Amino acid sequence: GGAGAGGVEATAYGAGPTLGGRALADLPIDVVRRTVVVNDPEARLFSGSLRAQLRAGRPADDTTLVRALGTAHATEILHSLPDGLDTIVEEKGRGFSGGQRQRLGLARALAIDPPVLVLIEPTSAVDAHTEARIGEELALHRRGRTTVVATVSPLVLHHTDRVILLVDGRAVASGTHAELLSGNTAYRDIVIRGGDDR
């Protein structure tokens, strides 16, 4: 994660998230939708072409879509499809594995390219090698924009600018992944246990 200029911020004391200094709850919903995109591991695919899935109703050229697929390590999915981006996706992404659906959902969020992207466990359904590569590529792809990642994956956390440890919804520590790993027992236990539980 990391906060860029005008990014979403939240306090440890329940004041709620803000966007550009204004409470998110006070902003018009269309402003929030244009600015903040949340992608979780259960992000659904709908029937229609893969191109339409990745565009999600917003303008994006094929170069943008292919770059997003590359960052999400979903290029091999594209190459395996008979009609590439024109392939019709079955409702709910049937025909794709859980890991493939997760990577396609991540690619869609990246293709939208919002100023603020919130990712919830974006690599929970992939193997460790792919997870490490996604973590690295994600950091490069989103450089200069605000990306908040909720995860316990050390392979993703390693590539973040700043980590905030939450316990019972409260921020109790912050720093780089390496700093917290070496200096915070609670963080180390959560990250090691979280990685083992997958």
Side-chain angles (χ1 to χ4, degrees):
V8 172
E9 297 180 12
T11 69
Y13 305 105
T18 62
L19 180 62
R22 290 184 60 195
L24 208 56
D26 293 341
L27 293 170
I29 192 69
D30 62 315
V31 171
V32 175
R33 286 183 177 151
R34 278 195 317 268
T35 308
V36 180
V37 169
V38 177
N39 186 66
D40 64 54
E42 302 302 317
R44 300 212 178 221
L45 298 174
F46 302 97
S47 57
S49 72
L50 180 60
R51 179 181 285 107
Q53 294 288 320
L54 297 174
R55 283 183 176 160
R58 299 176 190 204
D61 60 26
D62 287 357
T63 301
T64 299
L65 302 181
V66 170
R67 179 174 181 247
L69 287 164
T71 298
H73 286 268
T75 306
E76 86 282 350
I77 300 169
L78 176 65
H79 294 312
S80 72
L81 298 174
D83 297 317
L85 290 171
D86 293 320
T87 300
I88 300 301
V89 174
E90 296 177 50
E91 177 119 19
K92 296 184 181 177
R94 286 190 293 264
F96 294 119
S97 71
Q100 288 174 324
R101 282 194 304 272
Q102 185 177 52
R103 287 180 287 149
L104 290 171
L106 176 58
R108 177 175 53 203
L110 292 168
I112 292 170
D113 197 30
V116 179
L117 178 59
V118 180
L119 301 172
I120 312 298
E121 290 292 353
T123 58
S124 61
V126 300
D127 62 79
H129 177 71
T130 302
E131 186 172 29
R133 292 171 62 198
I134 289 173
E136 181 178 5
E137 292 293 324
L138 185 58
L140 294 171
H141 190 107
R142 292 288 300 170
R143 188 154 315 281
R145 282 155 299 181
T146 300
T147 306
V148 178
V149 182
T151 187
V152 294
S153 167
L155 299 172
V156 174
L157 291 165
H158 172 73
H159 296 286
T160 61
D161 297 325
R162 180 175 170 218
V163 176
I164 299 172
L165 174 61
L166 299 176
V167 175
D168 296 327
R170 293 180 59 98
V172 297
S174 69
T176 67
H177 171 63
E179 289 168 350
L180 291 176
L181 203 55
S182 66
N184 189 298
T185 304
Y187 178 80
R188 187 170 46 251
D189 289 348
I190 290 168
V191 170
I192 291 170
R193 186 177 62 244
D196 289 344
D197 287 346
R198 290 211 194 167

